[in-house]
Amino acid sequence: MLDHGEAPLATEPPSAPSRGPSTSFGSRLMRRKPVEALVAESGQGEGGTLRRSLTMWQLTMISIGATLGTGIFVVLGEATPLAGPAVAISFVLAGLTALFSALSYAELAGSIPVSGSSYSYSYATMGEIVAWICGWCLILEYGVSVAAVAVGWGEYLNELLDGTFGFTIPDSVSAPLGEGGYINLPALVVILLAMVFLMRGAKESARVNTIMVVVKIVTLVLFCTIGFMGIKAGNYTPLAPLGVTGISAAAATLFFSYIGFDAASTAGEEAKNPKRDLPRAIMLSLLVVTVLYCLVALVAVGAMPWQDFEGTDAALAQIMKDVTGHSFWSVVLAAGAVVAIASVVFAVLYGQTRILFAMARDGLVPKVFAKVDARTGSPRANTLIVSLFCGVLAATIPLGELANATSIGTLFAFALVNVAVVILRYTRPDMPRTFRVALFPVTPILGLLFCLYMMVSLPGVTWVVFGGWMIVGLVLYFGYGMRRSRLAAAEK
């Protein structure tokens, strides 16, 4: 629940960790960064500071912008063949998993309003090695999901071009290797466009994002209105042709669709009133997204047999064409999808840069990611590097593998957030909290269990990719971050 009392942000300088006699390997791995130090450093970067300019409305739009669109416009085509008409139940299951974690995020965002999101929460509660692992998972969540979403954007761009001009971008330059092409140029282009806007600063970027979010909400409401006329009761039977296993598998894939509700927590150092506004933005955005996802899924599977979703990344546009018998409305939806998915790329890319900003400030990644441009008040070098990296991924890797890899990284990070809220409640019970998780500790424990269940439901190849990702991350930590961290420097 929300606490209307607003506790002031800490302003005292961060206290250095005590220099105890133990400098063992284990103690270095488990060193923690005090909450007061995290809050006191808020906004501070290399050569400048982030600007506090975002309102609760803009924070909510960032979260909705980062979330709403991908699961409906892109991943629905992959999840429906797994669950059949019960894909709407899969959305509910994935949304319930997100809700438990969202409650934990809301409490921690109101207590530790900083850019690092779950990375910073882990640093304050479970130690440096866990924080690094969490941050590395967040790079998988945000950075790789930008690439995955950008791939789907190209599908709807082709739908729009086909409906308006009668041509499409050739597969050779609109699909990656293994899917009939050599490079996905549309995916690269949308990421570079998002990069240009983000470099202008948080306030200006938030205005652009808000416009795009309104467009995509109107587009989905329009789809529900028209698609409702094409619903056939027979399309809902059998409800779950592949059983509970299929529903769970689809839910694990669709959890990718809920990535982004935590994006508001990455804006903790650019919010005007973070302790009050961050929890509200997180919860409101998740509510809006879940309702729209379930409505659109119910209409979609009612209007088109679930078997026909196989192999399509632009299912909603096809449904609009089939229901109306005209290409006009499918073109309208494709245009809305182009804007909608671009806003996901935009908002998630924003979140990735802010997490790396926090990690760089702590010394775990190079300082260039914490450099703030004095004119725009934004990490421009960080944005450029991240955008180019994500652009290369989007241009060369197929969507399916990206989406599953992102889901497992997100679920792991969310699991840590649920653990962190429990630890902080017991270790710092008197800390001011503007939002408290209801039914504590049952709610965060359920959040942890749901995340683990979703992880187990993912295919084996995803675990192999995740394992490889974690090995690379640990090599980087022991080779660079462990020795370069600011806490390590303070111990010398």
Side-chain angles (χ1 to χ4, degrees):
M1 60 182 177
L2 287 169
D3 182 356
H4 296 289
E6 174 69 16
L9 293 177
T11 56
E12 66 270 16
S15 55
S18 57
R19 302 183 184 182
S22 174
T23 56
S24 67
F25 181 76
S27 66
R28 283 182 288 164
L29 292 179
M30 301 307 296
R31 53 196 172 205
R32 301 177 185 180
K33 188 170 186 178
V35 172
E36 291 75 14
L38 287 166
V39 176
E41 291 176 351
S42 183
Q44 298 176 18
E46 295 289 328
T49 59
L50 300 177
R51 296 175 184 171
R52 291 196 177 275
S53 60
L54 303 179
T55 64
M56 191 202 81
W57 170 254
Q58 290 172 323
L59 292 169
T60 303
M61 291 299 102
I62 287 173
S63 283
I64 295 177
T67 312
L68 184 61
T70 311
I72 288 299
F73 288 111
V74 181
V75 186
L76 182 64
E78 295 190 5
T80 303
L82 298 175
V87 68
I89 299 175
S90 298
F91 268 116
V92 173
L93 182 57
L96 186 60
T97 303
L99 173 61
F100 287 125
S101 296
L103 292 169
S104 294
Y105 260 104
E107 176 167 326
L108 292 173
S111 305
I112 314 174
V114 294
S115 292
S117 186
S118 51
Y119 155 76
S120 294
Y121 310 151
S122 298
Y123 214 162
T125 56
M126 289 174 275
E128 188 170 280
I129 183 63
V130 178
W132 169 265
I133 291 172
C134 185
W136 192 241
C137 286
L138 289 174
I139 292 173
L140 187 63
E141 171 188 350
Y142 282 89
V144 179
S145 68
V146 167
V149 174
V151 171
W153 184 80
E155 296 285 339
Y156 275 96
L157 179 62
N158 266 337
E159 287 283 332
L160 180 60
L161 292 174
D162 186 35
T164 53
F165 301 108
F167 74 89
T168 60
I169 302 172
D171 288 346
S172 59
V173 292
S174 65
L177 287 172
E179 292 195 349
Y182 300 100
I183 187 172
N184 192 329
L185 284 181
L188 176 61
V189 168
V190 71
I191 290 176
L192 295 181
L193 287 174
M195 176 191 74
V196 171
F197 282 109
L198 286 172
M199 283 187 166
R200 298 175 61 190
K203 185 176 182 179
E204 293 76 10
S205 299
R207 289 173 180 168
V208 174
N209 177 69
T210 298
I211 295 171
M212 291 193 290
V213 170
V214 171
V215 169
K216 72 168 135 184
I217 290 176
V218 171
T219 300
L220 290 175
V221 171
L222 176 65
F223 169 81
C224 289
T225 303
I226 294 177
F228 183 79
M229 296 184 294
I231 290 178
K232 298 176 183 176
N235 287 339
Y236 290 115
T237 57
L239 180 63
L242 302 176
V244 176
T245 302
I247 295 174
S248 298
T253 298
L254 288 171
F255 192 79
F256 173 80
S257 312
Y258 289 91
I259 293 170
F261 75 80
D262 57 324
S265 67
T266 68
E269 298 177 27
E270 291 163 287
K272 289 183 176 179
N273 194 343
K275 289 200 168 203
R276 183 196 67 188
D277 293 344
L278 290 178
R280 294 178 179 181
I282 290 171
M283 299 310 300
L284 180 58
S285 63
L286 184 62
L287 174 64
V288 171
V289 166
T290 302
V291 169
L292 280 173
Y293 274 167
C294 291
L295 284 175
V296 174
L298 282 170
V299 171
V301 296
M304 187 167 80
W306 65 273
Q307 299 92 335
D308 295 348
F309 283 82
E310 184 77 42
T312 176
D313 288 329
L316 299 193
Q318 182 62 46
I319 290 171
M320 293 283 269
K321 186 183 297 183
D322 293 343
V323 170
T324 63
H326 302 285
S327 61
F328 172 76
W329 290 111
S330 66
V331 171
V332 171
L333 185 127
V338 167
V339 175
I341 298 173
S343 75
V344 177
V345 172
F346 183 87
V348 175
L349 190 63
Y350 168 86
Q352 174 64 96
T353 60
R354 271 47 180 185
I355 289 166
L356 280 172
F357 173 85
M359 296 177 72
R361 187 170 56 197
D362 291 333
L364 297 182
V365 297
K367 290 183 178 180
V368 65
F369 291 102
K371 186 175 177 59
V372 176
D373 182 78
R375 183 176 62 85
T376 63
S378 64
R380 300 190 72 180
N382 181 341
T383 303
L384 176 63
I385 295 169
V386 171
S387 299
L388 293 177
F389 172 77
C390 293
V392 170
L393 282 182
T396 57
I397 305 297
L399 169 64
E401 294 305 318
L402 288 173
N404 283 337
T406 302
S407 291
I408 196 168
T410 304
L411 286 164
F412 191 85
F414 283 8
L416 291 178
V417 169
N418 286 295
V419 174
V421 78
V422 173
I423 293 175
L424 203 60
R425 276 284 192 103
Y426 286 116
T427 58
R428 300 292 301 272
D430 299 326
M431 175 184 294
R433 290 171 171 85
T434 55
F435 182 95
R436 287 178 177 269
V437 172
L439 301 176
F440 180 88
V442 175
T443 302
I445 291 175
L446 285 175
L448 172 63
L449 293 177
F450 267 85
C451 287
L452 295 177
Y453 176 71
M454 288 288 185
M455 291 177 72
V456 171
S457 298
L458 288 168
V461 65
T462 303
W463 279 93
V464 173
V465 172
F466 181 64
W469 179 262
M470 295 309 299
I471 290 172
V472 172
L474 290 174
V475 169
L476 291 176
Y477 172 72
F478 289 117
Y480 182 93
M482 185 177 186
R483 293 176 296 173
R484 302 273 187 134
S485 79
R486 291 182 63 188
L487 292 187
E491 290 174 349
K492 294 179 181 177

